[in-house]
Amino acid sequence: MGNPLGGARWDRWRSLFRHELRGPFSIHAYRGFGGSNFLFLSGRVMRDPFLRKAEKDSTWTNLGNTIKRFNSHEINRAQLRVSFANETFEVTTNTEGYFKIDAHLSTPLPPPPDHPPFWQYAQVALLRVRDQEVYLQQEAEVLIPGEKSGFGIISDIDDTILKTYVTSWLKWRMIYLTIVKNAFSRQAFTSVADFFQALRRGPEGDGYNPFFYVSNSPQSL
């Protein structure tokens, strides 16, 4: 997902100016997943938007944070090094600041434990932004399901977990919730957490089936 206010063309024009190449920078490493010989991990490099959020944030604070998210400054052609298990990957961000690893591992991972947590960790290091040498590191979580995982669950978020009101008249209610609410003040559907926990446990009640969440909303959200 790109910058919804300008799109890829605006990003290319803006990249002609060096304003967005001044730090500080930030790495947004998203949660990845994999298996014994496979890794999928993605993320984004941006100028640090200095988002400050808390449970008691006011409407104005949430509005300001929303504006910062949409007015993002992506860093293209940034060079990163990702280390996971005994493997190292060199990646470069695309025109919208994204990087992705979708690769097989040359050395299989040891068997995961038969009980949670199943998260392992990759180290993501930002090494260079154009002609600037920088060093910034972030840890990324990678889910490696255990042997008791019988199936995976793929779920949407909007109007599946969160009350988003996508079908509301002119979408005003959806816009309001998106702009002035935050992760603490958004409402989930009743009992959806209990239902998802039951899916996670499986029919025998002792499994740990992984969840994968998808959304058509802009990545900035």
Side-chain angles (χ1 to χ4, degrees), residues 100-132:
K100 182 176 73 172
I101 296 171
D102 187 350
H104 287 274
L105 304 175
S106 58
T107 303
L109 297 174
D114 58 1
H115 56 82
F118 300 120
W119 295 101
Q120 300 190 27
Y121 298 93
Q123 301 299 323
V124 183
L126 175 61
L127 304 178
R128 178 178 289 273
V129 175
R130 305 288 178 85
D131 57 351
Q132 305 176 56

XYZ file of all heavy atoms in Angstrom, residues 100-132:
270
model
N 10.991 -6.943 1.374
C 10.350 -8.240 1.578
C 11.362 -9.354 1.391
O 12.197 -9.300 0.499
C 9.187 -8.425 0.594
C 8.431 -9.741 0.771
C 7.239 -9.836 -0.162
C 7.657 -10.078 -1.590
N 6.496 -10.362 -2.470
N 11.250 -10.351 2.255
C 12.034 -11.576 2.123
C 11.048 -12.731 1.983
O 10.163 -12.904 2.821
C 12.951 -11.798 3.338
C 13.986 -10.686 3.430
C 13.634 -13.162 3.260
C 14.784 -10.717 4.703
N 11.176 -13.479 0.932
C 10.337 -14.645 0.660
C 11.281 -15.723 0.148
O 11.494 -15.869 -1.046
C 9.277 -14.276 -0.373
C 8.258 -15.386 -0.591
O 8.480 -16.503 -0.080
O 7.256 -15.141 -1.279
N 11.881 -16.448 1.087
C 13.023 -17.283 0.708
C 13.030 -18.596 1.480
O 12.478 -18.714 2.583
C 14.326 -16.533 0.974
N 13.681 -19.585 0.868
C 13.938 -20.856 1.537
C 15.254 -20.748 2.305
O 16.188 -20.070 1.876
C 13.998 -21.998 0.528
C 12.657 -22.371 -0.011
N 11.817 -23.265 0.624
C 11.995 -21.953 -1.117
C 10.702 -23.390 -0.070
N 10.790 -22.608 -1.139
N 15.306 -21.422 3.436
C 16.503 -21.434 4.269
C 17.398 -22.599 3.855
O 16.914 -23.716 3.628
C 16.118 -21.563 5.744
C 15.150 -20.503 6.282
C 14.769 -20.827 7.722
C 15.764 -19.116 6.188
N 18.678 -22.326 3.756
C 19.607 -23.373 3.338
C 19.805 -24.419 4.425
O 20.078 -25.589 4.145
C 20.957 -22.757 2.957
O 21.500 -22.026 4.046
N 19.653 -24.011 5.690
C 19.781 -24.944 6.810
C 18.454 -25.024 7.545
O 17.970 -24.002 8.034
C 20.876 -24.489 7.787
O 22.120 -24.360 7.095
C 21.032 -25.486 8.927
N 17.806 -26.195 7.607
C 16.508 -26.305 8.282
C 16.595 -25.888 9.750
O 17.609 -26.101 10.431
C 16.150 -27.785 8.135
C 16.958 -28.263 6.973
C 18.235 -27.464 7.012
N 15.524 -25.280 10.239
C 15.450 -24.891 11.638
C 15.247 -26.126 12.508
O 14.680 -27.132 12.065
C 14.283 -23.928 11.859
C 14.333 -22.589 11.134
C 13.029 -21.838 11.362
C 15.511 -21.761 11.623
N 15.681 -26.077 13.764
C 15.370 -27.182 14.683
C 13.873 -27.244 14.922
O 13.160 -26.241 14.758
C 16.141 -26.811 15.954
C 16.364 -25.336 15.860
C 16.505 -25.034 14.398
N 13.336 -28.401 15.295
C 11.889 -28.530 15.520
C 11.411 -27.527 16.565
O 12.072 -27.331 17.595
C 11.732 -29.969 16.018
C 12.939 -30.678 15.507
C 14.047 -29.673 15.528
N 10.267 -26.858 16.320
C 9.745 -25.915 17.306
C 9.212 -26.656 18.520
O 8.939 -27.868 18.452
C 8.612 -25.202 16.544
C 8.180 -26.195 15.513
C 9.419 -26.948 15.123
N 9.034 -25.981 19.630
C 8.464 -26.652 20.810
C 7.021 -27.060 20.538
O 6.372 -26.572 19.610
C 8.549 -25.567 21.896
C 8.597 -24.269 21.141
C 9.335 -24.559 19.871
N 6.492 -27.976 21.367
C 5.118 -28.441 21.166
C 4.114 -27.608 21.952
O 2.958 -27.990 22.100
C 4.988 -29.917 21.540
C 5.398 -30.197 22.986
O 5.758 -29.230 23.697
O 5.352 -31.372 23.391
N 4.546 -26.473 22.461
C 3.639 -25.593 23.202
C 4.060 -24.146 22.907
O 5.215 -23.867 22.584
C 3.701 -25.881 24.702
C 5.082 -25.766 25.271
N 5.660 -24.562 25.626
C 6.025 -26.706 25.516
C 6.885 -24.759 26.082
N 7.136 -26.061 26.022
N 3.124 -23.196 23.001
C 3.468 -21.793 22.731
C 4.362 -21.235 23.827
O 4.424 -21.797 24.921
C 2.102 -21.104 22.712
C 1.210 -21.987 23.513
C 1.717 -23.389 23.302
N 5.065 -20.134 23.548
C 5.001 -19.335 22.318
C 5.877 -19.924 21.204
O 6.879 -20.574 21.485
C 5.550 -17.980 22.764
C 6.520 -18.313 23.850
C 5.939 -19.504 24.571
N 5.467 -19.686 19.964
C 6.194 -20.182 18.805
C 6.912 -19.060 18.062
O 7.299 -19.230 16.907
C 5.241 -20.902 17.853
C 4.550 -22.085 18.485
C 3.184 -22.125 18.580
C 5.287 -23.138 18.991
C 2.544 -23.211 19.158
C 4.669 -24.229 19.575
C 3.289 -24.270 19.667
N 7.064 -17.913 18.706
C 7.715 -16.788 18.049
C 9.225 -16.914 18.125
O 9.792 -17.191 19.179
C 7.286 -15.475 18.702
C 5.822 -15.176 18.516
C 4.834 -15.361 19.448
C 5.191 -14.679 17.349
N 3.628 -14.995 18.913
C 3.799 -14.569 17.624
C 5.660 -14.304 16.085
C 2.885 -14.101 16.692
C 4.735 -13.839 15.153
C 3.370 -13.736 15.461
N 9.862 -16.735 16.976
C 11.311 -16.587 16.917
C 11.617 -15.164 16.448
O 10.695 -14.415 16.117
C 11.923 -17.636 16.000
C 11.637 -19.067 16.471
C 12.438 -20.097 15.713
O 13.519 -19.827 15.214
N 11.905 -21.315 15.626
N 12.886 -14.806 16.407
C 13.220 -13.401 16.198
C 14.271 -13.231 15.110
O 15.239 -13.997 15.040
C 13.699 -12.772 17.505
C 12.629 -12.807 18.571
C 12.581 -13.862 19.481
C 11.645 -11.833 18.631
C 11.583 -13.932 20.437
C 10.642 -11.880 19.591
C 10.616 -12.930 20.484
O 9.617 -12.995 21.418
N 14.016 -12.237 14.278
C 14.982 -11.837 13.254
C 15.494 -10.449 13.600
O 14.766 -9.631 14.173
C 14.318 -11.826 11.873
N 16.729 -10.188 13.246
C 17.329 -8.874 13.462
C 17.350 -8.137 12.129
O 17.915 -8.626 11.148
C 18.747 -9.010 14.023
C 18.831 -9.766 15.340
C 18.054 -9.090 16.456
O 18.018 -7.860 16.542
N 17.422 -9.891 17.313
N 16.714 -6.968 12.095
C 16.639 -6.158 10.884
C 17.480 -4.904 11.105
O 17.196 -4.108 12.002
C 15.187 -5.769 10.557
C 15.125 -4.978 9.258
C 14.302 -7.008 10.471
N 18.526 -4.737 10.294
C 19.448 -3.609 10.452
C 19.411 -2.732 9.212
O 19.562 -3.227 8.089
C 20.868 -4.115 10.701
N 19.190 -1.444 9.416
C 19.273 -0.462 8.336
C 20.728 -0.005 8.240
O 21.299 0.491 9.216
C 18.362 0.728 8.631
C 18.405 1.906 7.661
C 17.991 1.478 6.262
C 17.531 3.046 8.166
N 21.334 -0.176 7.048
C 22.759 0.088 6.889
C 23.058 1.363 6.115
O 24.031 2.061 6.412
C 23.423 -1.091 6.157
C 23.244 -2.470 6.788
C 23.926 -3.517 5.923
C 23.789 -2.490 8.207
N 22.230 1.662 5.117
C 22.542 2.808 4.260
C 21.264 3.394 3.675
O 20.353 2.672 3.288
C 23.482 2.365 3.124
C 23.855 3.465 2.128
C 24.809 2.936 1.077
N 26.116 2.679 1.631
C 27.082 3.603 1.730
N 26.863 4.834 1.296
N 28.252 3.299 2.245
N 21.213 4.715 3.633
C 20.151 5.450 2.954
C 20.822 6.300 1.887
O 21.478 7.298 2.192
C 19.348 6.324 3.932
C 18.332 7.177 3.171
C 18.653 5.460 4.978
N 20.683 5.866 0.636
C 21.386 6.493 -0.497
C 22.879 6.545 -0.178
O 23.502 5.519 0.032
C 20.813 7.879 -0.796
C 19.306 7.884 -1.037
C 18.917 7.275 -2.352
N 17.467 7.265 -2.509
C 16.765 8.284 -2.967
N 17.358 9.390 -3.354
N 15.448 8.186 -3.060
N 23.451 7.731 -0.084
C 24.900 7.819 0.155
C 25.236 8.009 1.624
O 26.376 8.281 1.981
C 25.503 8.963 -0.667
C 24.840 10.310 -0.357
O 23.826 10.318 0.360
O 25.354 11.342 -0.846
N 24.246 7.858 2.509
C 24.488 8.015 3.942
C 24.637 6.656 4.607
O 23.790 5.784 4.441
C 23.322 8.744 4.617
C 22.956 10.084 4.037
C 21.745 10.649 4.736
O 21.733 10.807 5.959
N 20.699 10.948 3.979
